[in-house]
Amino acid sequence: MYGLIGRMTAVTGQREALIGILLHAVSGLPGCLSYIIARDPSNDDSVWITEVWLDSLSHQAALSLPAVKQALEQGRPLIASMDSHMITEPVGGHGLFEPKC
Amino acid sequence: MYGLIGRMTAVTGQREALIGILLHAVSGLPGCLSYIIARDPSNDDSVWITEVWLDSLSHQAALSLPAVKQALEQGRPLIASMDSHMITEPVGGHGLFEPKC
């Protein structure tokens, strides 16, 4: 499996709008086993995103889906910075399943 | 919801043993919506753990469950360091559900 842990900071006051765009885009993505969006309680503008994909290919393929492309276009102006970006190798746990497409 | 993102480093050569203990302990934990264990590809001894709980109370309560207590006891000698520990406020996404107890 292929995983990502990232933190981004929204333009001041735009975190909830950015979260809304992300939530809308993440349902039913082929190969996506987990995609969780979270506020960072230590910074009013920051968002944590943790992702697990079957493999990096499914992650890559998702980036060209219309719904994801649209979300990226809508979201980009609301993002002030991409703060941290870690690649992981998930091995298991609870809450990993492919969406019914 | 209450979330945690943490990275720990195992005693050299003990990462897989530590992962095995964690995987064994995380199934069927009341209030646990997601618990994902991942290797850190940038360090042969490090593990990322991302967690989502209904609330901090359910996380706290889980720490006193026999299976979790046993895992902590087994795992502690295999942990060289707790490197990072972020608290998050998950808002949604894909892969969040309570286990059938």
Side-chain angles (χ1 to χ4, degrees):
Chain A
M1 293 184 269
Y2 174 78
L4 296 164
I5 299 174
R7 181 176 177 268
M8 65 175 88
T9 298
V11 169
T12 305
Q14 294 300 317
R15 176 165 70 176
E16 297 311 308
L18 181 56
I19 285 175
I21 291 166
L22 291 167
L23 284 173
H24 185 69
V26 301
S27 59
L29 295 177
C32 179
L33 306 180
S34 175
Y35 194 109
I36 296 168
I37 301 150
R39 295 187 191 100
D40 179 344
S42 69
N43 180 317
D44 288 345
D45 296 318
S46 296
V47 179
W48 283 100
I49 298 176
T50 54
E51 307 175 40
V52 178
W53 297 81
L54 277 177
D55 47 38
S56 58
L57 284 179
S58 13
H59 171 248
Q60 210 53 40
L63 296 177
S64 50
L65 292 172
V68 174
K69 273 179 151 176
Q70 189 188 2
L72 289 172
E73 252 163 60
Q74 289 174 332
R76 206 167 277 126
L78 307 185
I79 298 171
S81 64
M82 302 294 283
D83 312 320
S84 57
H85 177 84
M86 283 82 70
I87 292 174
T88 70
E89 197 187 296
V91 292
H94 168 65
L96 294 165
F97 66 99
E98 256 206 287
K100 290 172 202 67
C101 298
Chain B
M1 292 184 269
Y2 176 77
L4 295 164
I5 298 174
R7 182 176 177 268
M8 65 174 85
T9 297
V11 169
T12 305
Q14 295 299 319
R15 175 164 72 175
E16 296 313 307
L18 180 58
I19 285 174
I21 291 167
L22 292 167
L23 282 174
H24 184 69
V26 300
S27 61
L29 296 177
C32 179
L33 306 179
S34 175
Y35 195 108
I36 296 168
I37 300 149
R39 296 186 190 99
D40 179 344
S42 71
N43 181 318
D44 289 346
D45 297 318
S46 296
V47 179
W48 283 99
I49 298 177
T50 54
E51 307 174 41
V52 178
W53 297 81
L54 277 177
D55 46 41
S56 58
L57 284 179
S58 11
H59 171 248
Q60 209 54 39
L63 297 177
S64 48
L65 292 172
V68 173
K69 272 178 148 177
Q70 189 188 3
L72 290 172
E73 249 162 64
Q74 287 175 331
R76 204 167 280 127
L78 307 184
I79 299 171
S81 62
M82 303 293 283
D83 313 320
S84 57
H85 177 82
M86 284 82 70
I87 292 174
T88 70
E89 198 186 295
V91 291
H94 167 66
L96 293 165
F97 66 99
E98 256 209 289
K100 291 173 205 67
C101 297

